[in-house]
Amino acid sequence: MSSFDVVIIGSGPGGYVSAIRCAQLGFKTAIIEKYDSLGGTCLNVGCIPSKALLSSSHHFADIKHFEENGIEITGEVKVNLEKMIERKQAVVDQTVGGINFLMDKNKITVFKGIGSFVDATHVVIAKADGTSETIESKNIIIATGSKPASLPFIQIDKERIITSTEALKLKEIPKHLIIIGGGVIGIELGQVYLRLGAEVSVVEFMDRIIPGMDSSLSKEFTKVLKKQGMKFYVSHKVKSVERKDNIVVIAAETPKGDTITLEGDYALVAVGRRPYTDNLNADKAGVKLNEKGQIEVDAHLQTNIPNIYAIGDVVRGAMLAHKAEEEGVMVAEILAGQKPHINYNLIPGVVYTWPEVAAVGQTEEQLKASGIEFKSGSFPFKALGRARASGDLDGFVKILADAKTDEVLGIHMIGARCADLIAEAVTAMEFRASAEDISRMSHAHPTFAEAIKEAALAATDNRALHV
């Protein structure tokens, strides 16, 4: 029987990064993955492929604005969806290949199959060929991630009623794509197919899209997406989803209690994700799950069994790849006797549409609910020279700071390159910067980052210079 210092079940961003850090720290490490390729949801059917399609569709959308930039195209510009999907898969394959390289480089043993607990120190791996192998480990890290959630009455057939996984490999551009759920996943994939020519309708139970983010972002995002052609039905409760041949019929209850019917050729169910512990047999190791199906952990990500830890989507907190990575590193370093920490308030959230949406820290609604006195400063992208030069005029940056101390409590932005700009916000808040601190930092001109400086000036005695 093979024996290890650390065994990690699941090879997503949390699992494989944790394995690398464990190996760097001198632990004999193994990782178990049920699928043929490493990388989990993020690399195979999540973050990476969706961003590849967003990038390809963005190129196509940009062509519509070439003439105003002095670029003339003769002949018809067409979408080749098959080639676009092929490129997406090539990006995925290259990225997965990089993970394989890192496993070899760090001498991490990789097992392919379904890993299940035998007890607190032994895991059996059920392989695709019908054989199995049992290994033992001093420590075990559960990193089994999540799967798309659904509603009890929806029968997902993976053909017309689909999840994000199927939406990444459609063989045709939908005529009318109906998205159930106005969160990040649904809106990102919705924009891909909207750009390619589909009619896109979003049905959201809450009163706004991206409901977990600051309401000002939701409002601006809705305005921009409507301008692009996306339709929204917020505060609508889906009552039924039925397929009739190649048509999907969705009935939804309106805020007034009436019922409306939407018909499309595809329905994307994007109502969130659920922790994935199927076939893990956590009970055999004595590991507790909570009522949400999550693995229960303490502040050090340790389960109720001392040598077993859990990270990523399978535990509490935001279901984000970078959050899982931080947790994977944290557990590895705890096992090595170090004292790492994670500030969960400073895990940024990003929507990779165009314009991009990003945020870190507390929202205005959260601050009001907590009774914290704050001041706010905003700056619109349309006032930036860089934004005018590139034609990316939508959006703004908003900074929330403590009314008394001026410490930055939250930064919320929508606009060009916000997925990258949010790193400045995280850095500033990690070092507990004040709004004035940011306002006195030199920002290169002309850049989109100047919007952060100007928002900080606006939050500091309303001193914005260019608006």
Side-chain angles (χ1 to χ4, degrees):
M1 183 184 297
S2 299
S3 182
F4 300 90
D5 296 317
V6 183
V7 164
I8 298 152
I9 305 175
S11 73
Y16 86 73
V17 168
S18 188
I20 292 170
R21 187 68 183 121
C22 284
Q24 288 177 342
L25 291 166
F27 293 114
K28 184 181 178 184
T29 306
I31 195 164
I32 304 169
E33 173 53 54
K34 65 178 291 188
Y35 294 113
D36 288 336
S37 61
L38 302 179
T41 293
C42 180
L43 271 65
N44 289 277
V45 291
C47 324
I48 302 303
S50 63
K51 299 331 164 256
L53 288 181
L54 278 163
S55 178
S56 295
S57 62
H58 194 172
H59 288 314
F60 180 68
D62 274 349
I63 290 173
K64 299 173 184 177
H65 303 287
F66 275 13
E67 282 197 11
E68 66 191 54
N69 286 279
I71 303 169
E72 296 183 2
I73 297 176
T74 57
E76 185 180 1
V77 179
K78 298 180 181 179
V79 172
N80 184 331
L81 184 62
E82 183 180 359
K83 188 152 190 173
M84 195 175 285
I85 298 293
E86 284 177 3
R87 176 191 175 267
K88 177 266 301 181
Q89 192 57 47
V91 171
V92 169
D93 293 343
Q94 184 178 16
T95 308
V96 170
I99 304 305
N100 292 332
F101 166 77
L102 291 171
M103 295 300 101
D104 291 339
K105 174 189 173 186
N106 289 283
K107 297 180 174 56
I108 296 164
T109 303
V110 176
F111 293 96
K112 295 289 181 68
I114 298 173
S116 305
F117 281 102
V118 176
D119 54 38
T121 56
H122 293 83
V123 176
V124 61
I125 304 157
K127 301 180 181 181
D129 62 4
T131 63
S132 64
E133 180 178 358
T134 300
I135 60 176
E136 65 177 357
S137 182
K138 296 175 185 175
N139 299 286
I140 298 171
I141 301 172
I142 302 169
T144 47
S146 62
K147 291 287 184 183
S150 185
L151 298 173
F153 54 84
I154 297 179
Q155 183 65 45
I156 295 173
D157 60 22
K158 298 186 178 183
E159 294 176 353
R160 295 285 169 176
I161 303 172
I162 61 176
T163 70
S164 57
T165 300
E166 293 76 46
L168 292 167
K169 53 185 179 183
L170 293 181
K171 295 191 179 348
E172 64 178 356
I173 298 168
K175 296 179 182 65
H176 184 195
L177 173 63
I178 303 171
I179 301 171
I180 303 172
V184 177
I185 295 171
I187 298 296
E188 285 186 353
L189 289 170
Q191 192 178 62
V192 167
Y193 289 106
L194 180 72
R195 289 166 172 168
L196 301 183
E199 179 184 354
V200 176
S201 300
V202 178
V203 184
E204 169 56 47
F205 176 72
M206 302 295 284
D207 62 356
R208 56 192 174 94
I209 61 172
I210 53 169
M213 302 183 96
D214 193 276
S215 62
S216 63
L217 295 181
S218 298
K219 183 178 179 181
E220 178 75 4
F221 200 29
T222 300
K223 183 182 77 175
V224 172
L225 291 175
K226 279 184 175 179
K227 189 167 59 176
Q228 294 177 4
M230 199 174 288
K231 298 176 182 176
F232 296 98
Y233 299 84
V234 297
S235 297
H236 279 61
K237 182 179 181 180
V238 174
K239 304 294 287 185
S240 65
V241 179
E242 297 179 0
R243 178 177 172 180
K244 298 179 180 178
D245 295 323
N246 290 331
I247 298 296
V248 181
V249 181
I250 294 176
E253 184 180 305
T254 72
K256 294 181 179 180
D258 302 324
T259 299
I260 64 165
T261 299
L262 298 174
E263 292 188 1
D265 50 341
Y266 288 90
L268 168 60
V269 181
V271 294
R273 299 181 66 83
R274 65 172 181 86
Y276 184 72
T277 57
D278 302 16
N279 303 311
L280 185 62
N281 292 337
D283 56 320
K284 289 190 177 181
V287 172
K288 290 182 180 178
L289 278 66
N290 63 23
E291 66 281 358
K292 296 179 180 179
Q294 299 165 324
I295 303 288
E296 288 192 350
V297 292
D298 63 14
H300 298 106
L301 300 166
Q302 189 176 39
T303 70
N304 59 299
I305 306 301
N307 70 307
I308 300 177
Y309 295 76
I311 62 173
D313 289 4
V314 81
V315 302
R316 78 285 181 273
M319 290 186 172
L320 298 169
H322 46 285
K323 177 253 196 186
E325 289 186 15
E326 298 299 332
E327 290 181 333
V329 170
M330 179 175 171
V331 170
E333 293 178 350
I334 286 172
L335 292 176
Q338 299 179 16
K339 299 186 182 298
H341 81 284
I342 297 174
N343 185 344
Y344 284 96
N345 184 50
L346 299 186
I347 301 289
V350 179
V351 188
Y352 293 88
T353 49
W354 199 263
E356 294 174 334
V357 187
V360 66
Q362 294 180 280
T363 66
E364 196 165 315
E365 293 75 27
Q366 289 171 331
L367 292 175
K368 287 177 179 177
S370 301
I372 298 172
E373 294 184 18
F374 66 94
K375 52 188 180 175
S376 175
S378 295
F379 189 82
F381 268 56
K382 64 184 178 183
L384 291 174
R386 181 69 179 87
R388 286 193 295 273
S390 67
D392 295 301
L393 302 176
D394 293 317
F396 61 83
V397 173
K398 181 169 81 171
I399 291 181
L400 305 174
D402 189 283
K404 297 176 182 177
T405 67
D406 197 37
E407 181 179 349
V408 175
L409 303 175
I411 300 183
H412 309 274
M413 55 182 75
I414 174 171
R417 307 298 174 198
C418 284
D420 299 302
L421 294 179
I422 199 65
E424 176 180 340
V426 176
T427 302
M429 291 180 66
E430 185 67 54
F431 288 94
R432 303 192 65 174
S434 66
E436 185 174 357
D437 287 334
I438 297 174
S439 74
R440 293 188 179 277
M441 293 164 50
S442 178
H443 287 64
H445 173 76
T447 60
F448 295 114
E450 288 176 283
I452 299 176
K453 177 185 177 77
E454 291 277 1
L457 282 165
T460 309
D461 301 323
N462 198 24
R463 290 167 45 212
L465 297 170
H466 289 90
V467 69

